[in-house]
Amino acid sequence: MKKIKWRKWNRAIHRDLGYFFFAMALIYGLSGIAINHLKDWNPNYIYINKSIEIGHPIDPNISKSEVLEILKKIDEEDGYKDHRMTNPETLRIFLNGGSAYINIETGSGNIERVKRRPLFHAVNYLHYNPKKWWVWFSDAFAVGLIILAVSGLFILKGKNGITRRGAIITSIGILIPIIFLLLYY
């Protein structure tokens, strides 16, 4: 009976799963970092605020042509969508990708824009499993990670393998989450 070369198969499986799930590892790694820091920033959107000054009071019954004249002064005439009074003292002008808010008594205000954050918006979308087939692919990735973790233990042999140096490093990696759970869970 021929002996099975399990180390050769282990390396091949580990290598090929690593290649196949390369993009998924980047997607979940980047989005994981982004989601871990939600208190510090919004990983999906960039909010831009710009102060504006019209220089004069505005009639609450302002017409579209008058709004376009105001927008021309602040280089925003191409973005006009609509306008309305949001309360007795604030004119809101809807723009492509945002809005302008102007105090009608002072003529001062600001433009708020919301823009999708490049890369992070897309990877976060995928991280939240948007479609059923993506859930299945994400589950396959999770199983692949388990196989990668276990097969990775047996890639090297000798002094750097799992029976010596690898055992110490693996033990430390296991202890860190256990200690965290004991302290905070």
Side-chain angles (χ1 to χ4, degrees):
M1 184 146 85
K2 191 174 181 180
K3 186 179 175 185
I4 298 174
K5 297 181 179 181
W6 70 271
R7 281 197 178 276
K8 180 180 176 182
W9 280 102
N10 186 58
R11 276 194 312 272
I13 290 168
H14 186 86
R15 177 197 62 223
D16 291 347
L17 281 176
Y19 288 149
F20 185 71
F21 287 123
F22 169 78
M24 289 293 285
L26 289 180
I27 288 167
Y28 280 89
L30 286 171
S31 63
I33 291 168
I35 291 168
N36 281 345
H37 297 278
L38 286 176
K39 291 180 182 176
D40 302 321
W41 71 316
N42 184 326
N44 291 318
Y45 297 100
I46 298 168
Y47 296 95
I48 303 162
N49 282 308
K50 175 180 147 186
S51 294
I52 54 174
E53 194 63 51
I54 305 307
H56 57 79
I58 300 169
D59 180 4
N61 298 314
I62 190 168
S63 68
K64 179 180 176 180
S65 62
E66 292 169 317
V67 170
L68 290 173
E69 283 300 315
I70 290 171
L71 290 177
K72 193 178 240 182
K73 289 179 185 177
I74 57 173
D75 295 324
E76 293 286 344
E77 68 271 13
D78 295 335
Y80 177 83
K81 285 183 167 182
D82 196 7
H83 71 279
R84 67 178 54 105
M85 294 296 296
T86 56
N87 59 50
E89 59 272 335
T90 307
L91 169 67
R92 180 176 181 183
I93 304 171
F94 296 90
L95 304 168
N96 291 329
S99 293
Y101 299 90
I102 304 170
N103 182 303
I104 62 168
E105 293 173 10
T106 64
S108 63
N110 66 310
I111 296 175
E112 295 178 356
R113 292 202 187 287
V114 178
K115 191 169 111 176
R116 282 185 179 170
R117 193 174 295 278
L119 184 64
F120 283 104
H121 186 275
V123 297
N124 287 339
Y125 173 77
L126 292 174
H127 192 118
Y128 291 124
N129 296 327
K131 301 286 181 195
K132 188 171 184 159
W133 67 268
W134 186 258
V135 172
W136 287 102
F137 188 62
S138 295
D139 289 346
F141 174 58
V143 171
L145 282 178
I146 293 166
I147 294 168
L148 280 166
V150 173
S151 65
L153 294 175
F154 304 103
I155 294 289
L156 296 175
K157 51 183 173 173
K159 69 177 185 173
N160 290 322
I162 190 62
T163 58
R164 293 198 194 139
R165 183 173 184 262
I168 295 167
I169 296 171
T170 301
S171 298
I172 293 168
I174 292 170
L175 282 173
I176 290 172
I178 290 172
I179 291 168
F180 184 86
L181 286 173
L182 291 173
L183 291 174
Y184 300 107
Y185 187 63

